[in-house]
Amino acid sequence: MVTSSSEGTVRRRAGATLADVARAAQVSTATVSRALNTPDLLTKETLGRVHAAIAETGYIPSLTTGTVITNRSRLIAIMAPPTPLELFDTTVRAAVAALDDGGYQTLLGIYERDATREKIVTQILSRRPGGLILIGLPISPDVRALLVESNLPIVETWETPISPIDMVAGISHHDIGIAVGNFLMRKGYQRPMIFSTDSSRGHIRRYGISRVLMEAGRPEPRSIDHSLPGTIGEGRRSFGRIWEAGERPDVIVCSSDWLAQGVLIEAAVRSVRVPDDLAVMGFGDFDFAQELEPSLTSVRIDGAKMGRQAAALMLKALSKNQRDRAKAARVDIGFTLVERRST
């Protein structure tokens, strides 16, 4: 039991409860729950008293069972594809940090194959998370049904789906494709080729590029699919094969900076001058893009901003009653086409 002396001090003890904190802070248990779940609803003075009482009593809030007010888990699940960490790392890190600041812990789930995706979603839902953040996750009808039935706050990122499950903090890959297509037209390239990835995002960007060129009376550019997200080795091998076959594109648009780096390496090996003989574009604008020789033109995505926005949408949804929150909040964080010497 927590006891008070005549001076009002409180002794710490193992197993302190929410009621102990409330007595120490001289507030209700509902106010303690608000301090843990929706601190913005309280004054700084009240919040300070509750935090001081938590420190004095040694109370440890439950992260998995929620509070007496919300009965909601303090755990947010993040699902990501099995791509190299660089692709989504900044998004995951920013989301985790923002959720941690909001009093939530995170569980990261990696799905490996389409056949196991439903199983992984089921396993994550069995943990009773308070919400889900989906990173670049293609949604099958079965998985979508599971997620809709869960009635959890869900934020989809790295996409702007036409029919979102719930909330979206992402980018329009179609708009990116249109912007790249217009860039190619403006630069006057006549023989573009696309090194795409076998993914919905890569295909949507390819469609946008092709649409611009074909609407201008150009033929649809040839495209070669690669594994997601594409590797340096794949870029080298694909460029080597087309060059040996006598194909001479004047620009290769790659669905990742790794593919583009591979093209640059193989072009140098074959004494193909970039950008005089061949221009090269990437996607992602990773740290190494500006350090390559020549520096790589790429599409920059602010992954950290996306992660923070996804967390903000999640925290806002969690601060409201389920029936009161607005569905399908959509935020498009945009992108930047960064032109460098490779084009």
Side-chain angles (χ1 to χ4, degrees):
M1 177 68 66
V2 176
T3 60
S4 299
S5 71
S6 59
E7 288 78 21
T9 58
V10 180
R11 294 201 303 268
R12 295 170 61 93
R13 74 164 177 82
T17 67
L18 199 75
D20 295 330
V21 176
R23 281 194 295 272
Q26 298 182 344
V27 297
S28 67
T29 55
T31 298
V32 177
S33 291
R34 292 189 188 98
L36 296 171
N37 293 282
T38 54
D40 292 344
L41 299 180
L42 301 179
T43 65
K44 289 184 178 180
E45 189 271 335
T46 301
L47 202 57
R49 284 164 54 196
V50 173
H51 285 167
I54 289 173
E56 289 171 351
T57 61
Y59 174 66
I60 301 175
S62 170
L63 292 168
T64 58
T65 59
T67 70
V68 295
I69 294 298
T70 63
N71 193 30
R72 179 182 289 137
S73 170
R74 307 294 296 178
L75 186 70
I76 305 300
I78 299 177
M79 288 192 64
T83 56
L85 285 179
E86 293 92 336
L87 191 59
F88 300 127
D89 179 61
T90 54
T91 301
V92 172
R93 287 178 180 272
V96 168
L99 291 169
D100 181 67
D101 288 343
Y104 287 83
Q105 283 194 340
T106 50
L107 170 68
L108 181 61
I110 306 294
Y111 64 85
E112 291 293 338
R113 302 180 302 276
D114 289 352
T116 64
R117 193 174 301 146
E118 185 175 354
K119 178 181 177 182
I120 292 175
V121 171
T122 301
Q123 289 174 341
I124 285 180
L125 292 178
S126 72
R127 302 287 185 108
R128 309 292 186 195
L132 288 170
I133 294 177
L134 310 179
I135 297 181
L137 178 67
I139 303 298
S140 69
D142 288 342
V143 170
R144 182 183 178 88
L146 276 174
L147 295 175
V148 170
E149 185 179 350
S150 74
N151 204 33
L152 290 172
I154 294 173
V155 184
E156 295 173 79
T157 68
W158 280 86
E159 308 273 359
T160 50
I162 296 174
S163 299
I165 298 170
D166 187 2
M167 300 170 285
V168 176
I171 52 177
S172 171
H173 293 275
H174 180 261
D175 289 351
I176 292 172
I178 295 294
V180 171
N182 286 327
F183 175 78
L184 300 181
M185 292 289 295
R186 187 169 66 253
K187 296 287 287 187
Y189 296 117
Q190 300 296 315
R191 303 181 307 281
M193 180 177 288
I194 302 172
F195 281 11
S196 186
T197 52
D198 189 14
S199 67
S200 60
R201 295 182 297 278
H203 293 162
I204 291 170
R205 293 197 298 270
R206 181 184 68 191
Y207 171 79
I209 296 170
S210 299
R211 175 182 170 184
V212 170
L213 298 178
M214 294 172 71
E215 287 181 351
R218 304 279 190 86
E220 181 177 6
R222 185 183 169 204
S223 178
I224 301 175
D225 270 354
H226 302 79
S227 66
L228 181 69
T231 65
I232 295 173
E234 285 179 305
R236 289 195 65 175
R237 289 188 290 274
S238 288
F239 178 70
R241 282 193 294 268
I242 68 163
W243 207 257
E244 288 178 2
E247 297 187 68
R248 294 295 183 267
D250 57 1
V251 60
I252 296 179
V253 180
C254 299
S255 276
S256 76
D257 285 353
W258 293 294
L259 281 172
Q261 184 177 6
V263 173
L264 290 178
I265 292 172
E266 190 64 23
V269 168
R270 296 173 179 272
S271 300
V272 178
R273 299 171 301 166
V274 177
D276 296 334
D277 302 325
L278 171 74
V280 182
M281 290 186 66
F283 175 84
D285 195 35
F286 298 120
D287 291 343
F288 63 81
Q290 62 183 341
E291 306 299 336
L292 296 174
E293 182 56 43
S295 55
L296 180 65
T297 294
S298 189
V299 177
R300 178 181 298 160
I301 306 299
D302 192 337
K305 180 180 178 181
M306 195 183 309
R308 290 191 296 269
Q309 186 61 64
L313 290 176
M314 179 62 67
L315 292 171
K316 185 175 181 180
L318 291 169
S319 70
K320 299 180 179 181
N321 291 328
Q322 188 74 9
R323 64 169 178 255
D324 292 337
R325 67 185 184 85
K327 288 280 187 177
R330 297 171 66 94
V331 178
D332 187 336
I333 71 159
F335 59 90
T336 305
L337 200 161
V338 182
E339 184 175 3
R340 297 193 180 96
R341 291 176 51 229
S342 68
T343 56

